[in-house]
Amino acid sequence: QVQLVESGGGLVQAGGSLRLSCTRSGRTFSSYAMGWFRQAPGKEREFVAAINWSGGITTYADPVKGRFTISRDNAKNTGYLQMNSLKPEDTAVYSCAAGPNLPAVGKVNYGMEYWGKGTLVTVSS
């Protein structure tokens, strides 16, 4: 059984930075793609960023391009989301997920097999 646990959320002022971590326990997921997603109050969950198993391919949602960076350290079984120049509209619960392929819009749960419970990021204006 794979468990994903997010950490690093909190309250930050607009323009500030946070780094989220996603730590895996259970079977190895070094061969899995990893993604970050977010859900703001009253809104649907949306894709934020993803990285393939080796870290050689990354993809980002348009609203976070140039501000967020996804990375992973397979030796530590941990993935990261560095968030810079945060805006109030980035406020949401951020969740990480792992799956055999990069997330795919239109697939149930974006095709991801394992999900963390999320960590709250609040950006004040």
Side-chain angles (χ1 to χ4, degrees):
Q1 183 70 20
V2 173
Q3 288 187 324
L4 302 176
V5 179
E6 303 92 341
S7 61
L11 174 64
V12 64
Q13 289 188 333
S17 299
L18 283 174
R19 187 176 82 156
L20 305 183
S21 298
C22 173
T23 302
R24 184 278 296 164
S25 63
R27 62 177 288 187
T28 180
F29 83 146
S30 60
S31 61
Y32 276 51
M34 192 191 77
W36 285 95
F37 301 80
R38 67 186 183 185
Q39 186 167 18
K43 295 186 177 181
E44 293 186 353
R45 182 169 59 195
E46 64 177 2
F47 166 75
V48 175
I51 188 168
N52 75 328
W53 69 273
S54 69
I57 298 174
T58 58
T59 181
Y60 297 91
D62 286 343
V64 307
K65 281 182 180 177
R67 299 188 297 122
F68 291 10
T69 302
I70 189 171
S71 62
R72 66 189 296 164
D73 185 337
N74 289 336
K76 295 182 178 180
N77 297 315
T78 301
Y80 305 96
L81 185 68
Q82 177 66 44
M83 305 186 296
N84 299 328
S85 302
L86 283 161
K87 304 175 181 180
E89 51 263 44
D90 293 319
T91 294
V93 174
Y94 285 71
S95 300
C96 64
N101 300 297
L102 289 169
V105 175
K107 285 190 174 181
V108 174
N109 290 330
Y110 292 87
M112 307 304 276
E113 294 186 1
Y114 305 102
W115 290 82
K117 293 183 178 181
T119 184
L120 177 62
V121 172
T122 303
V123 184
S124 63
S125 57

